[in-house]
């Protein structure tokens, strides 16, 4: 049986030999086929993040074109039809193809390193999730390129999205939703199992890094939020394809059912997006003040409380519908109360900063930007939580300003700070601080110049989703200012793109831990080896790298000839088993293709469901059944490992 | 490039010391120490919640009608669905026996009970197909028809995928040399079957009894 030992120094020769063996076992395969068969979390996580940033670029370009259109009255750059497609695809891209995937992607990339393991629990499911997400994005943009982009808004309210939008535009939107929700669900199950069962020995619940907590919390939120929108979008597609009546009031259906289902997903979605941002902030604050974050238990409880409350607010998106007054009061109260756990976290960070000696490096500047922008968005959130005020500004530019402050402040600023912070781990090189500071200041100015005037435009009565306006409305100057701000954001993001590109090629070599941070990912090489840790660390404190005194306690006795990981108990992270991970496989990719063979044909014919079911079952069969050509190395002679043919003798 | 590394803060290289010997720890194939158990539970949560959503939509749509089912829509049949539920409940016997044999590493026992489970799955699927006729309404007749079809279809997919999963495991046991992990898969399959059978009880009550009470 296993045993805790008095620390025994490892010989350099042993370490080198084991590293070589691990490299052979965990290495990625070369070529396109190797790329498609890849199951390593670092590669899949990077793909998620890079793909999401490509979609951010596309969504940003759409926003830029819309700002050009609105920069002066009676502009004719976009016609009404194109404008409808642009704002729908912009919103759908940012919510479904950028914000959620990038946060889950960061989780997939970082969590195994932070908790001291070698890969996520279900590597193939994880890869399948990525391809499914990618196909969802390709479906949406494929349709958009052929003038079939969805045009009923990112929340696609019926009856606009049913009776008043013939053609296939909304159907493409509905299927894109299903693709991306399946991907998010796959990622969430993978991350929950990884965090519960693969933490390094000693990483008890109160030693889990705050970013990992944030990913655990949103993974649970995804389990309940995403099925809701998936079911709703399937109902919508069925109403359009086979004449069901879920949302058709004439036959006993109810358009408000859609709103309830959509916002039961849609409001938690906001928290799914920005709770990981709070995790980023905690790590950056700790590292750049050189202090553990003040009030760790309160920080964790606040994240959990936010998740629970996040599911009790959805109706505040529906204050303009005929709701019972008691319901309005409840959801107003709930919408106000949720400011408390967020406030607790902000005060904990302020206490940490006040007690430390902050280093104003670029990641930390983005945290300060987060405080400013997110707090403004939070305050206007408390304003729109009030029913009378909400009715006045409903569907005006005030709401547009509010949610852009929340999402840019709560998610984009921490994410960009996180990119600067973890870029050394991503690439092995540091990003330029000079360019980073230019990026930060221009973005902070640009965001405020763009979105602050929208509050005033909302007060002046400018509705959202209008493709143009008359000069007599007086909205021209503030719109011009907002569009100029968008130009500043474009410049800021170009600087960021150049910084990433040039630093990846020529940045200063970072080394394993350039910031002197405290969490386990900084104990790996930069970029990490495919197995992350040659020896699984043993954790003895919440800040293992700060409290280690020249030695790092590790686990020995793990096999190096198969992809073996250590399994630990949920609460105390006590080692209780091992698990051999599967190697590279083409089946996650092929099964994802099969899923596409389901969802794309059903846009056009209900028989697509029959074809799709057969295809998905075929994909699952290929994935699940044993393969004669399995590349799994044979177990070593005398091994304790049990995944080998079971003889009657062994069974006895 | 402006240097940002504060060299005083960068910790010195650390010496690795062995603090825990894991060579004696073995893989676990059953229960919460097996990661596949967590995957199965995750899918059960998702699929269970989709059923709850369908049921929520059913009751939400109920409020739009004076009667339930709405006027000129007949009550659903009770005989076929009740037989369908009974066959589902009976499936728990062979799959539970298969799981019991799996926990004892009894390959022959698993094969025997899996074969019975698989045959019984086909009965379940046949009964489910008959059950759609017992609804006595088309999906495009009205919102009631839409939601009862959707709910039943949602659960039918669970039966279909369970059949497929059981068939896959059975194929391994009959045509390949099973591994320890395959015994764990039988146990997980049994857990999933219990879920899909128990989940159908409230659906059955809602679809076939609730309209009779209102």
């Amino acid at each position: 049986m296993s045993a805790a030992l008095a620390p025994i120094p490892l010989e350099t020769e042993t370490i080198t030999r084991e590293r070589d063996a691990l490299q052979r076992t965990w290495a990625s395969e070369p070529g396109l086929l190797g790329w498609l068969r890849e199951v390593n979390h670092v590669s899949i996580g990077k793909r998620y993040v890079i793909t999401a940033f490509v979609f951010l670029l596309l969504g940003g370009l759409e926003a830029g074109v819309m700002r050009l259109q609105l920069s002066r009255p009676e502009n004719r750059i976009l016609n009404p039809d194109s404008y409808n497609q642009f704002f729908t695809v912009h919103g759908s891209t940012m919510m479904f193809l950028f914000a959620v995937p990038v946060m889950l992607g960061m989780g997939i990339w970082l969590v195994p390193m932070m908790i001291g393991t070698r890969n996520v629990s279900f590597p193939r499911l994880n890869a399948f999730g990525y391809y499914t997400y990618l196909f969802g994005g390709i479906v949406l943009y494929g349709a958009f390129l052929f003038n079939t982009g969805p045009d009923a808004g990112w929340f696609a309210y019926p009856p606009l999205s049913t009776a008043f939008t013939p053609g296939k535009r909304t159907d493409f939107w509905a299927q894109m939703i299903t693709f991306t929700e399946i991907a998010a669900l796959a990622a969430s199950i993978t991350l929950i199992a990884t965090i519960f069962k693969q933490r390094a020995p000693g990483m008890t619940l109160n030693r889990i890094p705050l970013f990992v907590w944030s990913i655990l919390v949103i993974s649970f939120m995804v389990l309940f939020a995403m099925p809701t929108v998936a079911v709703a979008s399937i109902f919508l597609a069925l109403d359009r394809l086979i004449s069901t009546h879920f949302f058709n009031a004439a036959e006993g259906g109810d358009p408000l059912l859609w709103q309830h289902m959509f916002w039961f997903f849609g409001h938690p979605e906001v928290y799914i997006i920005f709770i990981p941002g709070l995790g980023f902030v905690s790590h950056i604050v700790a590292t750049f003040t050189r202090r553990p974050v003040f009030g760790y238990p309160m920080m964790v409880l606040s994240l959990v409380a936010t998740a629970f409350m996040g599911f009790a607010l959805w109706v505040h998106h529906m204050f303009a519908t005929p709701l019972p007054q008691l319901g309005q009061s409840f959801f107003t109260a709930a919408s106000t109360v949720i400011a408390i756990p967020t406030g607790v976290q902000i005060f904990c960070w302020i206490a940490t900063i006040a007690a430390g000696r902050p280093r104003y490096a670029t990641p930390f500047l983005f945290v300060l930007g987060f405080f400013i922008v997110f707090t403004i968005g939070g305050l206007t959130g408390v304003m729109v939580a009030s029913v009378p005020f909400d009715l006045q500004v409903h569907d005006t530019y005030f709401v547009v300003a509010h949610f852009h402050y929340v999402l840019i402040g709560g998610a984009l600023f921490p994410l960009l700070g996180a990119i600067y912070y973890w870029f050394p781990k991503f690439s092995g090189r540091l990003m330029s601080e000079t360019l980073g500071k230019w990026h930060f200041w221009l973005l902070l100015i640009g965001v405020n110049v763009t979105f602050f005037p929208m509050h005033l435009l909302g007060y002046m009565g400018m509705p959202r989703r209008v493709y143009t306006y008359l000069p007599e409305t007086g909205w021209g100057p503030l719109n011009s200012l907002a569009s100029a701000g968008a130009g500043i954001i474009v410049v800021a993001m170009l600087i960021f793109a150049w910084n990433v590109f040039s630093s990846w090629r020529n940045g200063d070599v970072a080394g394993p831990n350039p910031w002197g941070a405290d969490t386990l990912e900084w104990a790996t090489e930069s970029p990490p080896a495919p197995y992350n840790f040659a020896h699984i660390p043993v954790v003895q404190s919440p800040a293992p790298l700060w409290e280690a005194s020249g030695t790092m306690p590790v686990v020995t006795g793990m096999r190096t000839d198969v992809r073996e990981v250590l399994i630990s108990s949920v609460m105390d992270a006590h080692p209780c088993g091992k698990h051999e991970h599967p190697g590279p496989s083409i089946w996650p990719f092929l099964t994802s293709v099969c899923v596409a063979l389901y969802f794309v044909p059903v846009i056009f014919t209900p028989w697509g469901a029959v074809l799709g079911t057969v295809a998905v079952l075929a994909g699952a069969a290929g994935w699940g059944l044993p393969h004669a050509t399995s590349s799994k190395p044979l177990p070593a002679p005398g091994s304790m490992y049990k995944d080998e043919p079971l003889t009657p003798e062994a069974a006895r | 490039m402006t240097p940002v590394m504060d060299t005083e803060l960068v910790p010195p290289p650390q010496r690795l010391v062995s603090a825990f010997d894991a060579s004696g720890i073995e893989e676990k194939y059953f229960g919460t120490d097996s990661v596949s158990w967590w995957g199965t539970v995750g899918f059960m949560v998702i699929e269970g919640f989709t059923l709850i959503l369908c049921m929520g939509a059913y009751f939400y749509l109920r409020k739009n009608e004076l009667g339930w089912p709405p006027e000129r829509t007949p009550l659903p049949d009770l005989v076929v669905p009740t037989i369908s539920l009974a066959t589902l409940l009976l499936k728990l016997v062979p799959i539970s026996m298969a799981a019991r044999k799996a926990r004892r590493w009894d390959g022959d026992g698993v094969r025997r009970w899996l074969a019975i489970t698989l045959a019984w799955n086909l009965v379940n699927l046949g009964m489910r197909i008959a059950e759609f006729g017992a609804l006595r309404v088309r999906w495009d007749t009205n919102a009631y028809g839409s939601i009862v079809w959707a709910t039943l279809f949602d659960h039918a997919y669970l039966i279909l995928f369970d059949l497929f999963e059981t068939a896959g495991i059975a194929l391994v046991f009959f045509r390949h040399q099973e591994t320890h992990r395959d015994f764990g898969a039988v146990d997980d399959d049994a857990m999933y079957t219990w879920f899909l059978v128990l989940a159908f009880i409230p659906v059955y009550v809602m679809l076939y009894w609730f309209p009779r009470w209102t």
Side-chain angles (χ1 to χ4, degrees):
Chain A
M1 189 53 204
S2 58
L5 304 172
I8 303 167
L10 294 181
E11 301 292 335
T12 314
E13 221 174 88
T14 311
I15 296 172
T16 310
R17 195 177 57 245
E18 294 195 353
R19 278 181 185 278
D20 290 345
L22 285 166
Q23 182 68 36
R24 281 193 299 276
T25 303
W26 289 84
S28 301
E29 297 173 344
L32 176 64
L33 190 61
W35 194 89
L36 293 172
R37 285 165 50 86
E38 180 64 88
V39 292
N40 184 288
H41 79 98
V42 168
S43 303
I44 301 297
K46 277 183 180 177
R47 287 182 202 175
Y48 260 109
V49 173
I50 291 169
T51 309
F53 268 94
V54 170
F55 284 120
L56 173 69
L57 172 68
L58 294 171
L61 287 173
E62 288 142 19
V65 175
M66 286 190 290
R67 281 317 318 167
L68 272 179
Q69 165 69 13
L70 294 175
S71 60
R72 61 190 180 87
E74 298 188 291
N75 219 348
R76 292 285 181 269
I77 296 169
L78 293 176
N79 61 37
D81 181 63
S82 306
Y83 191 83
N84 287 347
Q85 290 185 64
F86 265 72
F87 73 67
T88 302
V89 174
H90 166 75
S92 303
T93 300
M94 291 306 198
M95 298 302 278
F96 295 109
L97 299 176
F98 168 64
V100 174
V102 82
M103 294 304 180
L104 289 172
M106 289 293 281
I108 288 164
W109 180 61
L110 277 171
V111 162
M113 286 188 275
M114 282 186 158
I115 63 173
T117 189
R118 288 178 175 153
N119 204 350
V120 289
S121 288
F122 307 116
R124 291 184 178 177
L125 181 67
N126 191 34
F128 163 79
Y130 169 73
Y131 294 118
T132 307
Y133 153 60
L134 179 65
F135 289 149
I138 290 172
V139 164
L140 181 76
Y141 274 87
F144 188 36
L145 279 178
F146 289 98
N147 195 32
T148 317
D151 56 354
W154 85 276
F155 39 75
Y157 280 178
L160 176 64
S161 60
T162 49
F164 296 99
T165 42
K168 292 295 174 189
R169 289 177 171 180
T170 303
D171 304 278
F172 274 102
W173 180 87
Q175 294 309 333
M176 180 276 291
I177 298 294
T178 318
F179 272 109
T180 53
E181 302 325 326
I182 287 176
L185 288 166
S188 295
I189 289 177
T190 302
L191 286 164
I192 289 171
T194 308
I195 295 167
F196 275 169
K197 295 306 291 178
Q198 286 188 218
R199 301 200 307 279
M203 186 177 279
T204 51
L205 287 185
N206 60 347
R207 291 174 183 166
I208 296 179
L210 284 166
F211 175 69
V212 177
W213 266 115
S214 72
I215 289 292
L216 181 65
V217 165
I218 68 152
S219 297
F220 273 103
M221 294 183 78
V222 164
L223 289 192
F224 296 100
M226 300 303 178
T228 316
V229 73
V231 169
S233 67
I234 290 169
F235 284 178
L236 181 70
L238 292 174
D239 269 13
R240 295 175 58 87
L241 189 67
I242 59 169
S243 303
T244 54
H245 300 289
F246 296 104
F247 308 122
N248 177 12
E251 292 293 348
D254 198 329
L256 278 189
L257 173 63
W258 169 267
Q259 293 197 27
H260 279 295
M261 294 184 84
F262 187 87
W263 289 118
F264 187 80
F265 142 81
H267 196 79
E269 162 109 326
V270 175
Y271 297 98
I272 289 168
I273 290 167
F274 92 78
I275 284 177
L278 306 181
F280 295 144
V281 169
S282 291
H283 285 262
I284 294 170
V285 165
T287 297
F288 290 93
T289 58
R290 195 67 183 171
R291 290 185 64 83
V293 171
F294 175 82
Y296 176 94
M298 294 310 297
M299 295 291 290
V300 174
L301 289 173
S302 296
L303 290 175
V304 176
T306 304
F308 274 104
M309 291 182 197
F311 280 99
L313 309 182
W314 81 93
V315 172
H316 75 205
H317 294 269
M318 300 165 59
F319 280 156
T321 63
L323 293 168
Q325 200 169 15
L326 184 65
Q328 292 184 347
S329 306
F330 173 82
F331 285 101
T332 289
S335 307
T336 313
V337 166
I338 201 166
I340 294 174
T342 312
V344 167
Q345 292 178 82
I346 288 182
F347 284 119
C348 285
W349 290 319
I350 290 172
T352 312
I353 294 167
R357 282 192 311 161
R359 280 183 289 156
Y360 292 92
T362 304
F364 193 71
L365 290 180
F366 274 95
V367 166
L368 299 182
F370 151 79
F371 285 143
I372 296 165
V373 179
F374 181 67
T375 303
I376 295 172
L379 288 174
T380 53
V382 175
M383 291 166 76
V384 293
S386 164
V387 176
F389 184 85
D390 183 81
L391 280 175
Q392 291 299 314
V393 297
H394 187 84
D395 263 348
T396 71
Y397 261 82
F398 187 91
V399 176
V400 179
H402 157 67
F403 68 69
H404 279 93
Y405 265 91
V406 168
L407 292 172
I408 292 175
L412 190 63
F413 269 80
L415 175 69
L416 291 170
I419 297 292
Y420 281 92
Y421 180 62
W422 277 291
F423 190 81
K425 198 53 62 184
F426 209 83
S427 67
R429 294 175 184 275
L430 287 151
M431 290 178 74
S432 159
E433 276 290 288
T434 308
L435 291 176
K437 284 177 175 148
W438 273 99
H439 173 210
F440 166 73
W441 286 109
L442 284 172
L443 187 68
L444 184 67
I445 293 166
V447 164
N448 282 287
V449 172
T450 304
F451 295 106
F452 196 83
M454 292 185 189
H455 294 112
L456 308 177
L457 285 166
Y459 282 141
M460 293 165 72
M462 181 171 172
R464 48 194 299 207
R465 298 175 171 174
V466 288
Y467 89 104
T468 191
Y469 49 88
L470 295 171
E472 294 78 11
T473 56
W475 301 337
L478 285 173
N479 268 305
S480 300
L481 184 60
S483 297
I488 299 173
I489 294 175
V490 169
V491 173
M493 293 309 286
L494 284 174
I495 290 172
F496 171 67
W498 173 250
N499 198 356
V500 169
F501 178 74
S502 61
S503 301
W504 208 320
R505 291 166 63 95
N506 303 313
D508 291 338
V509 174
N513 189 1
W515 311 113
D518 60 335
T519 38
L520 285 180
E521 77 275 23
W522 300 104
T524 65
E525 297 163 36
S526 296
Y531 46 85
N532 289 345
F533 300 89
H535 294 86
I536 304 299
V538 173
V539 176
Q540 295 172 326
S541 87
L545 300 196
W546 282 350
E547 294 178 22
S549 52
T551 60
M552 173 176 260
V554 294
V555 174
T556 51
M558 299 289 291
R559 286 183 60 180
T560 55
D561 57 340
V562 292
R563 296 187 173 210
E564 189 173 76
V565 296
L566 195 61
I567 301 298
S568 53
S569 60
V570 174
M571 304 290 281
D572 299 327
H574 184 76
C576 57
K578 289 176 179 170
H579 182 68
E580 186 195 329
H581 275 184
S585 168
I586 194 67
W587 285 103
F589 171 73
L590 292 180
T591 307
S592 193
V593 171
C594 294
V595 169
L597 285 175
Y598 191 135
F599 292 144
V600 175
V602 293
I603 291 173
F604 301 97
T605 166
W607 292 106
V610 179
L611 165 73
T613 302
V614 173
V616 169
L617 292 179
W623 185 335
L625 292 178
H627 295 282
T629 54
S630 169
S631 60
K632 192 180 77 174
L634 287 172
S639 157
M640 295 300 293
Y641 184 69
K642 292 283 182 58
D643 194 13
E644 55 195 86
L646 191 68
T647 60
E649 293 74 29
R652 278 197 291 274
Chain B
M1 297 277 184
T2 312
V4 292
M5 277 191 285
D6 185 342
T7 49
E8 286 180 16
L9 295 178
V10 177
Q14 296 183 336
R15 208 157 49 96
L16 301 183
V17 292
S18 172
F20 194 92
D21 179 12
S23 55
I25 295 182
E26 295 179 25
E27 177 156 359
K28 304 288 195 305
Y29 303 98
F30 301 106
T32 58
D33 286 338
S34 151
V35 289
S36 65
W37 184 91
W38 289 89
T40 308
V41 169
F43 283 108
M44 281 161 45
V45 170
I46 293 167
E47 291 162 2
F49 196 60
T50 61
L51 275 177
I52 289 172
L53 290 164
C54 288
M55 294 174 74
Y58 177 95
F59 289 111
Y60 189 87
L61 293 170
R62 165 68 187 90
K63 73 175 174 46
N64 290 348
E65 300 285 354
L66 290 174
W68 198 251
E71 278 184 10
R72 294 187 297 280
T73 307
L75 278 168
D77 178 30
L78 204 50
V79 176
V80 171
T82 306
I83 296 172
S84 176
L85 175 63
T87 60
L88 272 175
L89 288 167
L90 281 174
K91 185 166 78 164
L92 294 176
V93 176
I95 192 65
S96 299
M97 287 305 296
R100 197 168 158 176
K101 298 294 179 189
R103 283 182 175 254
R104 294 173 181 174
W105 309 107
D106 177 358
D108 289 336
V110 168
R111 269 182 281 277
R112 191 164 52 245
W113 286 106
L114 270 186
I116 298 169
T117 307
L118 195 57
W120 202 251
N121 273 343
L122 293 172
V123 174
N124 293 143
L125 196 62
M127 285 309 301
R128 176 51 49 89
I129 290 167
E131 218 177 320
F132 282 106
L135 291 173
R136 291 178 174 164
V137 63
R138 276 172 59 96
W139 61 88
D140 56 357
T141 304
N142 50 31
Y144 165 80
S146 304
I147 191 62
V148 296
W149 268 79
T151 310
L152 200 60
F153 209 88
D154 187 0
H155 193 266
Y157 253 102
L158 304 190
I159 292 179
L160 182 64
F161 281 115
D162 186 48
L163 185 155
F164 194 73
E165 187 184 0
T166 308
I169 297 170
L171 190 64
V172 172
F173 271 87
F174 281 100
R175 300 295 302 274
H176 298 264
Q177 180 66 60
E178 67 271 17
T179 66
H180 283 79
R181 206 174 270 187
D182 297 319
F183 285 91
V186 174
D187 198 49
D188 287 342
D189 188 31
M191 178 171 68
Y192 183 81
T193 304
W194 271 87
F195 152 73
L196 87 86
V197 171
L198 295 182
F200 186 64
I201 293 173
V203 172
Y204 165 81
V205 172
M206 182 191 82
L207 290 182
Y208 306 112
W209 285 98
F210 178 75
R212 291 176 157 78
W213 296 335
T214 57

